[in-house]
Amino acid sequence: SIDFGISLLESLGYFIATRQEKLRIIYDYKNTEVVIDKWPMINPYLEVEGNSEAELLAVVEDLGYNKTDAIITNTDDVYLRDNINIFDYKELVFNQEDQKLINELMAM
């Protein structure tokens, strides 16, 4: 559990620097991972992870996109596109509206 993990790390002298929640749904597809990420304060986004650019582009095209639609970035930069610096937040957690949406999606 998260509580046990926190307790264990604190007993070893570690402390919580930041807390970030996210919802991640992962699909295996053609030797890649197709990931839907939902983080607080931003819209969900699709991530494709694989071993080669050729594999990634093939999956991107299967999903109806093309190479110019794809970007290589990290979550920090996704937030910055919405003018949000995640390092300004000690806790980045879902609000009630997000949590309601997540609960509905998970019930499907």
Side-chain angles (χ1 to χ4, degrees), residues 21-38:
E21 294 181 337
K22 74 174 176 179
L23 171 67
R24 174 168 270 198
I25 302 170
I26 302 171
Y27 298 92
D28 290 322
Y29 181 73
K30 291 188 176 180
N31 203 34
T32 67
E33 285 187 349
V34 177
V35 179
I36 302 169
D37 270 346
K38 173 64 180 130

Side-chain angles (χ1 to χ4, degrees), residues 3-100:
D3 291 334
F4 175 78
I6 290 170
S7 177
L8 174 66
L9 291 171
E10 286 176 344
S11 72
L12 296 172
Y14 294 94
F15 63 93
I16 296 175
T18 62
R19 177 174 171 231
Q20 298 175 340
E21 294 181 337
K22 74 174 176 179
L23 171 67
R24 174 168 270 198
I25 302 170
I26 302 171
Y27 298 92
D28 290 322
Y29 181 73
K30 291 188 176 180
N31 203 34
T32 67
E33 285 187 349
V34 177
V35 179
I36 302 169
D37 270 346
K38 173 64 180 130
W39 288 75
M41 301 168 55
I42 61 173
N43 290 323
Y45 60 91
L46 185 68
E47 198 175 302
V48 182
E49 299 176 0
N51 296 316
S52 73
E53 184 177 345
E55 287 178 351
L56 294 175
L57 290 176
V59 171
V60 165
E61 289 177 3
D62 285 353
L63 293 170
Y65 299 97
N66 60 52
K67 185 175 183 173
T68 60
D69 295 319
I71 58 171
I72 299 171
T73 191
N74 61 40
T75 303
D76 305 348
D77 291 336
V78 173
Y79 271 92
L80 286 174
R81 291 174 69 142
D82 287 341
N83 296 313
I84 300 169
N85 182 349
I86 64 171
F87 300 106
D88 290 342
Y89 297 86
K90 183 169 174 71
E91 286 199 342
L92 195 59
V93 297
F94 293 115
N95 62 29
Q96 288 180 334
E97 185 178 320
D98 281 339
Q99 193 61 56
K100 182 180 176 190

